[in-house]
Amino acid sequence: MSEDTQTAPEALTFADLGLSPKVLSAVTDAGYTQPTPIQAGAIPHALQGKDVLGIAQTGTGKTASFVLPMLTRLEKGRARARMPRTLILEPTRELAAQVEENFVKYGKNHRLNIALLIGGVSFDEQEKKLERGADVLIATPGRMLDHFERGKLLLTGVEILVIDEADRMLDMGFIPDIERICKLIPFTRQTLFFSATMPPEITKLTEQFLHAPVRVEVAKAASTAVNITQRLAKSGPKPWDKRETLRRLIKAEGDEIKNAIIFCNRKVDVSELFRSLVKHDFDAGALHGDMDQRARMTMLSNFRDGKLRLLVASDVAARGLDIPDVSHVFNYDVPIHAEDYVHRIGRTGRAGRSGKSFTIATRSDTKYVDAIEKLIGNKIEWHDGDLSTVVASEGDDEAPRRGRGAPRRAGGKDKPGRERDRRPRDEAPVVEAAAIVAAEAPADNVVADINERRERKEAIRNGNADRKHREHEDRPRRDDHRGNRRHQREEEDDRTVGFGDDMPAFMLIATNI
Ligand code: AMP
């Protein structure tokens, strides 16, 4: 049971919603006693076969709001080969896999065939499942269309279509695919449509493809997380300064850390920090866009099961994932976008528990810290003295120049060799790791990087983005269906600016029910 899921205000039970005994028994076994607002609002209508427009973020219990009525409705009828009875579209592999887990959990009393069509899994295996006849098909749009184009899939038997996280599909340039898929499915189908926000493009889509939908909304409200102790931790500017600061913080918190997420702004730093922590014997894992599907899922389940204590992650890699409440959040980097700070710290202190967050800040982070404090409407306390006590190091471009003022190299950068020479003795060398990740993604200027992403996102919104710029849905090229999976798209490049789909629980209230 998730701690960040609010329940419906009135004493409504699952039995009141009209779900079948088999489903009710699985819900009881899952430990849920009361439906959440989105479940209470959507399930009765979904059971009656009506179209539903659910406006809700991850964390509100929205997955069960479509999985439970679907299971009840699927009890009648059988699947035929290559003709799935229901289709659920998800923007990313992780979300698709999470939905599958939900079907397994709540469908334990049913004998349903579930097929998952996502990148990173062999076509053959997926085709076998389709051939057997799928009651539930869960897919990312690109991979689903690839199967369709290979002639392995007929969509004419789909009775229920679910489009989940529609606004994220928009951000990722999937809307043309969604439109195409909607047209391939009989119009007599039922459509359950979910989106955290309703930008005009999404409204247009719902007007085009939903029939008299029932609108169920779980809206957000801004409030502050009073139960999260937030601290800033000063650091020198160099990566080894920051790594050292982080290790010091982790050690000082000791056993108070049950589990923690450590956020970095860039995946290049996720890799480097992860390797450094492991070298220093910390029990750490990492989650970033370059990892293959299996590695991500293993990492995540190890963290969920408590086998890993620390998880180093980027914002996008962690977004939308059902990660349990953590005792600590460390911001290895101050987030460039203040909203990301709210998302990050919202991973701790759920359900009234206490949580702690530490944000490592250097002199050059001051403007980002200011923006965060402005957004949350509070000053964040310094843990151990503010930045005025940090001794400016040589080569600190942000620090006032000291000494004889030796001329800088063009561009103001130090030679990498000199940087390494100044590394403190107790800092384990991560040169090898740094070289590997540098090859994966050049360590370019973060702000320029973000601007480029914004521009690309803009291009996606305008419909001019190249297909190859889509998120990590690795799919074969359309001109080469037999082989060569194209290199996976960097997920960080598609990051959304703003709260997107992942509004923390403390910022949610239920309305409209
Ligand atoms: P979702 O918004 O679908 O990602 O769900 C967020 C979390 O809430 C998941 O961990 C679910 O298992 C959990 N959850 C779903 N429904 C309920 C409920 N009625 N009561 C408590 N937790 C729930």
Side-chain angles (χ1 to χ4, degrees), residues 242-243 246-247 249-250 257 259-266 269-271 273-274 276-278 282-288 303 309-315 317-318 323 326 328-333 344 347 358-360:
K242 293 175 69 170
R243 290 195 291 264
L246 177 68
R247 290 197 296 272
L249 290 169
I250 295 173
I257 302 181
N259 54 358
I261 304 185
I262 304 166
F263 283 100
C264 298
N265 287 353
R266 298 178 305 168
D269 296 319
V270 171
S271 305
L273 179 61
F274 159 62
S276 166
L277 286 168
V278 170
F282 286 96
D283 184 12
L287 208 60
H288 68 75
F303 187 66
R309 200 163 146 248
L310 308 175
L311 185 69
V312 190
S314 62
D315 296 281
I323 295 175
V326 294
H328 286 66
V329 167
F330 293 94
N331 291 317
Y332 174 78
D333 297 305
R344 290 179 182 185
R347 298 282 182 181
F358 288 94
T359 301
I360 298 175

Side-chain angles (χ1 to χ4, degrees), residues 1-2 4-5 7 14 32 34-36 39 57-64 105-106 322:
M1 174 154 178
S2 163
D4 66 347
T5 310
T7 47
F14 279 101
Y32 304 155
Q34 223 193 319
T36 65
Q39 291 163 1
Q57 292 91 351
T58 304
T60 55
K62 77 171 157 65
T63 316
K105 180 161 76 174
Y106 304 127
D322 185 15

Side-chain angles (χ1 to χ4, degrees), residues 70 74 80 82-89 134-137 144 148 153-162 181-182 184-191:
M70 283 174 81
L74 281 166
R80 283 189 282 163
R82 287 187 289 144
M83 289 181 70
R85 298 171 66 197
T86 62
L87 169 64
I88 299 160
L89 295 172
D135 296 287
V136 180
L137 177 59
M144 201 226 73
F148 181 78
L153 183 59
L154 288 167
L155 294 173
T156 44
V158 173
E159 298 154 33
I160 306 174
L161 168 68
V162 178
I181 294 167
C182 283
L184 292 168
I185 301 177
F187 75 97
T188 49
R189 66 167 187 261
Q190 176 183 16
T191 308

Side-chain angles (χ1 to χ4, degrees), residues 399-415:
R401 306 287 293 167
R402 296 179 306 157
R404 273 164 281 153
R408 273 184 204 176
R409 292 175 65 228
K413 293 272 192 300
D414 284 335
K415 282 182 192 159

Side-chain angles (χ1 to χ4, degrees), residues 238-251:
K238 297 297 179 189
W240 54 86
D241 294 327
K242 293 175 69 170
R243 290 195 291 264
E244 213 274 319
T245 305
L246 177 68
R247 290 197 296 272
R248 200 163 28 79
L249 290 169
I250 295 173
K251 283 178 190 156

